[in-house]
Amino acid sequence: MRILIIRPGALGDTLLLIPALAQMRGRADVTLAARMPGLEYLRPFAHECMDYERTGWHRLFMDDPYARVKPTFSHTEIAVAFLADRDGRMADNIRVFMPQASIHVFPGSPRQEETIHAAFYLAKCMERSGCPLNARRALEEAVQRPLLRDDSFAGAGKRIVIHPGSGGITKNHP
């Protein structure tokens, strides 16, 4: 199965895809369009990575997506985009580029009244889109073991991780 995931968020938003991608590894060829530097951390989980800022994704926002070069994703079966798409233009433009694919566009984060973890929200959206994963199990597995590893730190002892919060107050946990 060939899947395209479009996630143009910042570093933390991009990293929230890891539980779902980790569970899909080996079960689908995932092409990921995301922003740097988060994209670099997701390379082990994707078949192909594309820098959202450099590869023509701005065409999704245009009235005429054919204005220049048409991107080709001829083998994509499922496209999942996490973008604000109030008028449906982006979904329509994705369909232009991938007419054979099942297209699913979701907001970048859960509604404010939803009290679920953003990583679970992303995994649930991907599961509903037909991606080969179990959202609940993906999050349970993410809690059990580290998903990002750097073998050069093996045996280095205890580490401290500092996360100062998100860029938007509505995304911070109470």
Side-chain angles (χ1 to χ4, degrees):
M1 177 178 289
R2 296 185 57 110
I3 299 168
L4 170 67
I5 299 171
I6 304 170
R7 177 71 168 152
L11 174 63
D13 295 325
T14 303
L15 295 178
L16 290 170
L17 287 171
I18 293 174
L21 293 175
Q23 192 180 71
M24 288 195 313
R25 192 178 354 193
R27 302 166 82 189
D29 285 341
V30 175
T31 297
L32 179 64
R35 288 192 170 125
M36 300 295 262
L39 184 61
E40 285 301 314
Y41 293 101
L42 299 179
R43 287 192 188 281
F45 302 97
H47 176 74
E48 180 181 4
C49 290
M50 303 172 79
D51 185 347
Y52 184 83
E53 296 293 335
R54 296 183 181 203
T55 50
W57 293 103
H58 65 279
R59 289 189 205 104
L60 294 179
F61 302 91
M62 298 172 71
D63 288 328
D64 179 9
Y66 282 114
R68 291 205 175 97
V69 179
K70 178 185 174 193
T72 58
F73 295 95
S74 59
H75 295 83
T76 299
E77 297 169 58
I78 298 172
V80 182
F82 294 99
L83 301 159
D85 189 19
R86 289 176 191 88
D87 62 1
R89 177 185 302 168
M90 284 175 264
D92 290 343
N93 286 343
I94 294 170
R95 276 186 200 89
V96 167
F97 300 140
M98 295 166 263
Q100 75 292 344
S102 174
I103 309 295
H104 307 271
V105 179
F106 299 97
S109 57
R111 292 185 318 265
Q112 195 167 6
E113 62 273 5
E114 280 187 274
T115 56
I116 64 171
H117 194 283
F120 183 54
Y121 164 78
L122 297 172
K124 274 182 30 176
C125 292
M126 293 166 64
E127 181 180 25
R128 276 191 305 224
S129 300
C131 295
L133 74 119
N134 178 301
R136 186 158 310 282
R137 196 169 339 128
L139 270 287
E140 289 169 357
E141 291 171 2
V143 172
Q144 299 299 318
R145 61 184 171 82
L147 299 176
L148 287 177
R149 299 187 87 109
D150 185 344
D151 292 337
S152 65
F153 289 105
K158 295 181 180 180
R159 288 179 225 127
I160 297 174
V161 177
I162 298 172
H163 186 282
S166 69
I169 195 164
T170 60
K171 296 191 296 182
N172 292 334
H173 192 273

